[in-house]
Amino acid sequence: FLNGDVKTADDAERAFAETGADGVMIARAAITNPFIFRQIKELRAEGHYRQPTVRERIELCIRHLTHHCEVRGVPRGIRSPHLGSMYFS
């Protein structure tokens, strides 16, 4: 398994090709691009991947906010610093 500097599906594919690794570990890249796992799977299976639509991004943000509110309660969930640091590229 390869760990480090895998920030995009293309990085993962290059890592597989150059190292022969059986897998890659994704960390911080998943914070800015939570769709990276789907993109890697599509690239490996189909040779290309699609970018998330605006609708998919908005739906994910809503799910994320809803979860924060369920876990922390509405006032704390909305003011959570974790939401402020989140950026979906």
Side-chain angles (χ1 to χ4, degrees):
F1 277 80
L2 179 76
N3 183 21
D5 292 329
V6 177
K7 298 175 183 150
T8 67
D10 294 318
D11 290 343
E13 187 60 32
R14 188 170 30 263
F16 285 120
E18 291 177 2
T19 68
D22 291 325
V24 295
M25 291 190 272
I26 309 295
R28 288 176 293 211
I31 295 170
T32 57
N33 180 13
F35 302 95
I36 190 169
F37 304 103
R38 179 185 77 192
Q39 292 171 337
I40 292 170
K41 184 177 177 180
E42 289 174 356
L43 184 58
R44 302 280 297 158
E46 302 166 21
H48 65 279
Y49 62 92
R50 64 181 182 85
Q51 294 295 333
T53 65
V54 171
R55 181 180 193 90
E56 288 173 318
R57 291 171 194 258
I58 291 170
E59 288 173 353
L60 181 59
C61 288
I62 291 169
R63 283 197 323 262
H64 193 76
L65 176 60
T66 301
H67 176 73
H68 268 262
C69 290
E70 288 171 353
V71 170
R72 293 182 166 88
V74 173
R76 286 183 63 218
I78 292 173
R79 291 192 308 261
S80 172
H82 300 288
L83 289 174
S85 64
M86 182 178 64
Y87 170 71
F88 296 150
S89 60

